[in-house]
Amino acid sequence: MTRTESDAGQPVDGARTFQVTGQQYDDFMGRYSRQLAPLFAGAAGVSAGMSALDLGCGPGALTTVLSARLGAASVRACDPSPQFVQECGRRHPGVEVLRGHAEAIPFPDSEFDVVLAQLVMHFVSDPDAAGAEILRVLQPGGIVAACVWDSAQEMQMLEHFWDAALSVDAQAPVRARTLKFGDEGEMVRSFDASGFEDLTESTLAVNSTYEDFDELWTGFMAGIGPAGAYCRSLSADVLAEVRRVMFGSLSSPAGPFTLSAVARCAFGRAPR
């Protein structure tokens, strides 16, 4: 069993695997992020009268929640994927959505009361630059909030996938299984180094129900994130074996089944 010749030995870069449609993302990860968004916004203390930035907005799961709570005119969003920028803007008339990275936020200084990064920090290439940029666009005393999938409690969808991949392929990228900032205290330490104050962290739990295994597997075939990129690097026989092993690891893969996920959250404030 081998990888495809074109992709063999190539690194799996999750930050470059979000050039997909909003619907494809919704079907794969959006089904979790839509549930997470209101919990995350609530934990961050988002309330009427605030101005907010959805940093790394994707198709706009969190943007939807922020717009409902604050009004579209009080919400901005940005994402490095042009497809997601277009889709988020289409879904949220009145919200300014721009293309941009966490390391170079395309908005003015002291613009926001709160900056939220939902499921983004995993893929930030330069955390120090991102922290400095978030601090720049926040008003004094403004809130930073970020969440990622927790490494210890894990996300069952990805846990089952990487268990299957590692049992089949000795070259499977172990680093992609435990993405950065998923460990306890990791985001807090990063934000502390950037100069944020009053730092705390917590966890939030969500889940998603699938009608059958094909509904789950289709998301991986779309090539989204490190898992999807890894799938696209495999030859047909290796991919089929990963699918077979993952199918067998689920208790009821032939019918409806539910998978859970836990997000680790970090919150802080810009100095006054």
Side-chain angles (χ1 to χ4, degrees):
M1 294 183 178
T2 60
R3 297 170 184 266
T4 59
E5 290 184 6
S6 62
D7 289 326
Q10 296 301 310
V12 174
D13 186 350
R16 298 185 181 183
T17 54
F18 293 94
Q19 306 303 315
V20 296
T21 68
Q23 187 60 55
Q24 286 175 312
Y25 183 84
D26 286 346
D27 292 342
F28 182 61
M29 193 61 70
R31 61 200 306 147
Y32 294 93
S33 59
R34 286 193 302 272
Q35 292 188 45
L36 180 60
L39 302 177
F40 180 47
V46 173
S47 59
M50 287 182 166
S51 57
L53 171 63
D54 184 356
L55 180 61
C57 59
L62 181 59
T63 313
T64 299
V65 173
L66 297 175
S67 296
R69 296 191 180 194
L70 306 178
S74 296
V75 179
R76 304 288 184 273
C78 67
D79 195 277
S81 164
Q83 289 94 326
F84 286 169
V85 169
Q86 182 178 13
E87 183 64 16
C88 186
R90 185 190 68 79
R91 294 181 182 184
H92 305 94
V95 174
E96 184 179 11
V97 186
L98 301 179
R99 188 177 182 188
H101 294 260
E103 299 90 340
I105 298 173
F107 292 102
D109 295 358
S110 304
E111 182 81 354
F112 302 105
D113 296 308
V114 56
V115 173
L116 304 101
Q118 176 171 287
L119 306 179
V120 172
M121 297 300 292
H122 280 321
F123 307 108
V124 170
S125 60
D126 187 339
D128 292 339
E133 277 292 274
I134 294 170
L135 194 61
R136 177 184 67 78
V137 300
L138 275 173
Q139 296 181 11
I143 299 168
V144 60
C147 67
V148 297
W149 297 125
D150 183 81
S151 294
Q153 301 182 70
E154 299 202 41
M155 182 191 195
Q156 287 186 327
M157 177 181 75
L158 297 178
E159 180 182 8
H160 281 285
F161 175 82
W162 289 116
D163 279 348
L166 290 166
S167 73
V168 172
D169 178 15
Q171 297 180 15
V174 178
R175 66 179 178 81
R177 178 175 185 150
T178 55
L179 296 170
K180 60 188 175 185
F181 291 114
D183 291 335
E184 183 177 359
E186 196 173 357
M187 283 191 294
V188 164
R189 288 191 293 274
S190 181
F191 284 144
D192 182 59
S194 295
F196 289 97
E197 303 174 344
D198 302 330
L199 290 158
T200 61
E201 68 177 332
S202 63
T203 57
L204 298 168
V206 295
N207 61 64
S208 184
T209 298
Y210 299 84
E211 289 300 315
D212 54 30
F213 184 79
D214 285 342
E215 183 181 0
L216 171 63
W217 189 249
T218 297
F220 291 99
M221 293 301 92
I224 301 169
Y230 170 72
C231 284
R232 289 192 168 181
S233 77
L234 298 178
S235 61
D237 58 343
V238 177
L239 184 61
E241 183 64 7
V242 172
R243 186 189 191 284
R244 185 192 68 78
V245 173
M246 185 177 178
F247 181 91
S249 73
L250 296 166
S251 58
S252 302
F257 58 94
T258 299
L259 300 178
S260 63
V262 175
R264 179 162 294 280
C265 309
F267 308 97
R269 286 190 178 276
R272 295 185 183 279

